[in-house]
Amino acid sequence: MIHQILESLALWIQGVISAMGYVGVAGLMAIESACIPLPSEVIMPFAGSLVPAGRFTLWGAGLAGAIGCVVGSIPAYYLGAYGGRALVLKYGRYVLLSAAHLDQADRFFARRGDVTVFVARLLPVVRTFIAFPAGVARMPMGKFVAYTFAGSLPWCLGLAWVGMKLGEHIDELKPWFHRFDAVLVVVGLIAIAWFVRKQLKSRRALS
């Protein structure tokens, strides 16, 4: 079932890019950066696979993808900036979050927000959601846009380059990206479990 959904999604992505060109690449990457997990691991390699035929240039595809990342990240940033803090304050206790965690996030992004956004944009899965916490922490918009673009460009160029090299054999790449994403999901679950355990221990110590 999941495999069929992914295949249908991949076919839809390929259809959008084939019909809309660079605008389609930018639009799809904007969706991927707006906290909607549309796989850039399908979008950019397919765009790159059209380079040998002259439909795209490598740099054109990479720039279109990076611009799309910035465009899609801005609504997610503002969603975090104007709604995320209130959500955490109202419902955060149900997931072991508090105002103190927001203060910690603010201090962290003030010190290392630029590096965090840059590195996150180079990581599958994580890159899709980094704009929201950056907005919650009110990272300066200028820095956010600059480091989002700086981190997204090598990611998009790298994936497009792989697609360009594979050409018509692009489908051979899909299983490897799905395995890598699965590893990151497991790592994320471990991190969540560690966070929950730490918060529960802190609450017991205070009680």
Side-chain angles (χ1 to χ4, degrees), residues 44-127:
M44 293 311 307
F46 180 72
S49 73
L50 299 178
V51 170
R55 179 71 189 277
F56 295 142
T57 66
L58 179 61
W59 275 99
L63 284 170
I67 291 169
C69 288
V70 172
V71 171
S73 293
I74 292 174
Y77 172 94
Y78 280 117
L79 183 64
Y82 293 103
R85 185 171 292 269
L87 283 173
V88 172
L89 292 175
K90 188 172 183 179
Y91 300 109
R93 64 182 181 275
Y94 298 115
V95 289
L96 304 178
L97 293 175
S98 65
H101 292 113
L102 291 175
D103 293 339
Q104 291 172 8
D106 288 342
R107 291 193 295 271
F108 178 83
F109 270 89
R111 295 194 309 269
R112 301 187 180 90
D114 46 5
V115 175
T116 300
V117 170
F118 177 79
V119 173
R121 283 290 166 183
L122 296 169
L123 298 174
V125 182
V126 178
R127 66 188 315 283

Side-chain angles (χ1 to χ4, degrees), residues 130-145:
I130 188 59
F132 185 82
V136 172
R138 300 293 177 95
M139 181 181 179
M141 175 56 79
K143 276 190 173 183
F144 173 73
V145 169

Side-chain angles (χ1 to χ4, degrees), residues 116-201:
T116 300
V117 170
F118 177 79
V119 173
R121 283 290 166 183
L122 296 169
L123 298 174
V125 182
V126 178
R127 66 188 315 283
T128 303
F129 302 101
I130 188 59
F132 185 82
V136 172
R138 300 293 177 95
M139 181 181 179
M141 175 56 79
K143 276 190 173 183
F144 173 73
V145 169
Y147 283 95
T148 294
F149 181 81
S152 298
L153 183 58
W155 173 261
C156 293
L157 270 175
L159 289 178
W161 180 84
V162 171
M164 181 182 70
K165 291 299 182 181
L166 286 174
E168 63 183 17
H169 302 292
I170 190 70
D171 288 342
E172 296 176 6
L173 192 64
K174 293 178 186 176
W176 294 100
F177 280 121
H178 293 320
R179 289 170 192 166
F180 188 41
D181 285 351
V183 171
L184 286 174
V185 169
V186 171
V187 171
L189 291 174
I190 292 172
I192 292 170
W194 173 84
F195 173 79
V196 170
R197 183 172 179 271
K198 181 181 177 183
Q199 298 307 310
L200 290 174
K201 285 181 67 176

